[in-house]
Amino acid sequence: RNPDRVRDHEAVNAAVDQAFSVRSTAQVLATLADLGIPAGQVRDMREVYTWEQTISQGLLIDVEHAALGTVSLPGPPLQFGSGGRDDHLAPPVLDQHGQAIRDWLARPADSPDR
């Protein structure tokens, strides 16, 4: 029961760690699949960026950054239309748009463009 798991969380975590630490990720996922339990691998960012499915699904986009040159960023998980990626921009450098934002904030609240 959940109250017991919460109360004994250290013991539960130790038992889970012990059970899973002697098996590889592939072995654990295969066993869970055989049992009909849906599961997937948790990936770190390096694995996400190099994972074949990420690449094949076009989930990475290359953009030009003002200071770093070409950088690869996560793209949108959902794509509509022709799938063009021309509307994606790199993160701005420090204060790149600062003056425009300060000007916008200085406008009266009832201004039509605010």
Side-chain angles (χ1 to χ4, degrees), residues 20 24-43 51 53:
F20 285 90
S24 70
T25 301
Q27 290 172 320
V28 171
L29 291 174
T31 300
L32 293 172
D34 289 344
L35 296 171
I37 299 170
Q41 180 178 342
V42 176
R43 300 174 192 281
W51 187 25
Q53 184 170 342

Side-chain angles (χ1 to χ4, degrees), residues 84-96:
R85 301 292 179 122
D86 297 335
D87 57 341
H88 295 282
L89 303 172
V93 295
L94 183 62
D95 204 38
Q96 180 176 341

Side-chain angles (χ1 to χ4, degrees), residues 10-20:
E10 288 183 23
V12 171
N13 287 348
V16 170
D17 288 346
Q18 181 180 11
F20 285 90

Side-chain angles (χ1 to χ4, degrees), residues 9-74:
H9 75 276
E10 288 183 23
V12 171
N13 287 348
V16 170
D17 288 346
Q18 181 180 11
F20 285 90
S21 67
V22 297
R23 295 173 176 85
S24 70
T25 301
Q27 290 172 320
V28 171
L29 291 174
T31 300
L32 293 172
D34 289 344
L35 296 171
I37 299 170
Q41 180 178 342
V42 176
R43 300 174 192 281
D44 63 28
M45 291 308 291
R46 181 191 54 76
E47 291 171 321
V48 169
Y49 274 76
T50 59
W51 187 25
E52 188 232 306
Q53 184 170 342
T54 303
I55 296 165
S56 70
Q57 297 299 309
L59 297 176
L60 298 177
I61 56 173
D62 290 335
V63 295
E64 288 300 317
H65 188 274
L68 302 174
T70 303
V71 294
S72 187
L73 300 175

